[in-house]
């Protein structure tokens, strides 16, 4: 835009230039650190005469300075359940050291009041000031999401809400909160890797078998009759017991406990 006499011009910074300015510390944060240099190609008058250039060594100080007072917005997010990564995208560069994942909640529907929700408890976030923050999720948060019957089962059941304390921009403005209605995920990568049994513990006094898996397991799917106890792991076992049943622990978990049937327990104890 321009003034009535065409001597004053104003223009809107493109996002890339705005972010390049705001990411720098102590630069264009006050009138005292805001100056302008201009090349001869910067403008010309109605007679095609170029503007007199102003070099960096004699840069022009700003006349009127308005500081950034607009809070950033979380504009999009992706959730990768396969690799346990949450990626947040913002409207402007945010300060990484002000990020608090405990202010972020994942939910099954847009309306927070009626949704299944889980507030994140931890994770490792990227440490550079940027337009995006990537978080490596904790096992506890990942398992809580996976075990919920509604959250993140499809793109249409994956939403985020957050408070004003989630993060600040480079001018220390708090993010615009979104608490009543969640933001829909831009992308959801489902968990497609097969669970693996990593280790087990056997307590013959308690008659208990503890199974540790690579990911959370639905306890209702445990089938003890699929397990065989062997005297060696080289395929040359001289003794083995095929379990005929058992009672699994009541909660979905990475570690499931199975109480052996008395017949199976006695069969194991009877072997030399």
């Amino acid at each position: 835009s321009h003034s009535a006499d065409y001597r004053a011009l104003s223009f809107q910074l493109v996002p890339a230039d705005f972010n390049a300015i705001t990411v720098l510390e102590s630069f264009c944060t006050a009138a005292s650190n805001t100056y302008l240099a201009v090349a001869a190609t910067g403008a010309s008058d109605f007679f095609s005469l170029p503007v007199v250039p102003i070099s960096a060594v004699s840069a022009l100080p700003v006349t009127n300075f308005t500081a950034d007072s607009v809070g950033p917005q979380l504009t999009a997010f992706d959730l990768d359940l396969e690799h346990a990564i949450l990626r947040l995208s913002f409207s402007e560069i945010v300060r990484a050291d002000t990020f608090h994942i405990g202010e972020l909640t994942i939910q099954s529907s847009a309306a927070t009041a009626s949704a299944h929700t889980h507030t994140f408890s931890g994770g490792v976030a990227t440490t550079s000031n940027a337009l995006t923050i990537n978080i490596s999720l904790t096992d506890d948060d990942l398992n809580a999401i996976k075990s919920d019957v509604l959250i993140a089962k499809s793109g249409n059941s994956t939403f985020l809400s957050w408070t004003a304390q989630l993060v600040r921009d480079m001018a220390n403005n708090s993010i615009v909160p979104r608490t009543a209605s969640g933001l829909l995920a831009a992308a959801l990568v489902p968990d497609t890797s097969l669970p693996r049994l990593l280790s087990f513990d056997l307590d013959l006094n308690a008659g208990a078998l503890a199974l540790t898996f690579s990911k959370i397991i639905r306890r209702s799917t445990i089938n003890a009759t699929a397990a065989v106890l062997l005297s060696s792991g080289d395929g040359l076992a001289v003794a083995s017991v095929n379990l005929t049943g058992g009672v699994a622990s009541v909660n979905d978990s990475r570690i499931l406990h199975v109480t052996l049937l008395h017949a199976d327990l006695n069969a194991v104890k009877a072997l030399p």
Side-chain angles (χ1 to χ4, degrees):
S1 62
H2 57 77
S3 62
D5 60 4
Y6 288 88
R7 293 180 59 220
L9 300 176
S10 62
F11 55 91
Q12 187 78 33
L13 292 174
V14 298
D17 290 338
F18 176 79
N19 290 323
I21 292 170
T22 57
V23 74
L24 299 174
E25 304 281 356
S26 301
F27 175 60
C28 290
T29 59
S32 59
N33 58 24
T34 306
Y35 292 79
L36 184 69
V38 63
T41 55
S44 59
D45 65 11
F46 285 100
F47 297 98
S48 298
L49 297 173
V51 67
V52 176
I54 300 174
S55 68
V57 296
S58 57
L60 191 67
V62 68
T63 302
N64 297 303
F65 178 84
T66 303
D68 177 15
S69 60
V70 178
Q73 298 187 48
L74 200 168
T75 57
F77 76 94
D78 302 336
L79 177 61
D80 184 343
L81 293 176
E82 179 70 18
H83 301 98
I85 297 293
L86 177 63
R87 175 185 172 91
L88 309 177
S89 299
F90 298 91
S91 59
E92 61 178 285
I93 290 174
V94 293
R95 192 180 291 276
D97 61 6
T98 67
F99 179 71
H100 302 289
I101 195 170
E103 306 298 326
L104 190 65
T105 298
I106 189 168
Q107 54 199 60
S108 60
S109 63
T112 304
S114 59
H116 281 215
T117 65
H118 172 74
T119 298
F120 291 94
S121 61
V124 179
T126 48
T127 57
S128 58
N129 302 328
L131 286 167
T132 59
I133 291 179
N134 294 334
I135 307 108
S136 296
L137 300 177
T138 65
D139 285 343
D140 286 345
D141 286 331
L142 194 64
N143 290 334
I145 293 169
K146 290 180 179 180
S147 62
D148 191 280
V149 296
L150 293 180
I151 296 175
K153 295 301 176 279
S154 70
N156 291 327
S157 63
T158 309
F159 295 79
L160 284 182
S161 59
W162 58 89
T163 73
Q165 286 71 50
L166 176 65
V167 74
R168 293 176 177 270
D169 66 13
M170 298 300 294
N172 210 36
N173 298 306
S174 296
I175 191 171
V176 177
R178 185 165 181 163
T179 56
S181 178
L183 175 68
L184 179 65
L188 173 68
V189 178
D191 178 8
T192 58
S193 61
L194 299 177
R196 292 176 292 111
L197 179 61
L198 302 178
S199 64
F200 74 95
D201 298 324
L202 178 62
D203 185 340
L204 292 178
N205 292 318
L209 183 65
L211 307 172
T212 300
F213 294 88
S214 59
K215 59 174 62 178
I216 194 167
I217 298 294
R218 290 196 182 280
R219 52 86 51 197
S220 61
T221 67
I222 286 293
N223 176 16
T225 63
V228 181
L229 288 171
L230 303 165
S231 61
S232 68
D234 57 6
L236 301 176
V238 296
S240 65
V241 172
N242 289 72
L243 299 185
T244 61
V247 180
S249 51
V250 296
N251 296 318
D252 301 331
S253 176
R254 285 184 61 240
I255 303 175
L256 291 179
H257 299 270
V258 178
T259 301
L260 300 180
L261 299 181
H262 287 299
D264 292 336
L265 182 60
N266 289 332
V268 172
K269 291 181 176 180
L271 293 174

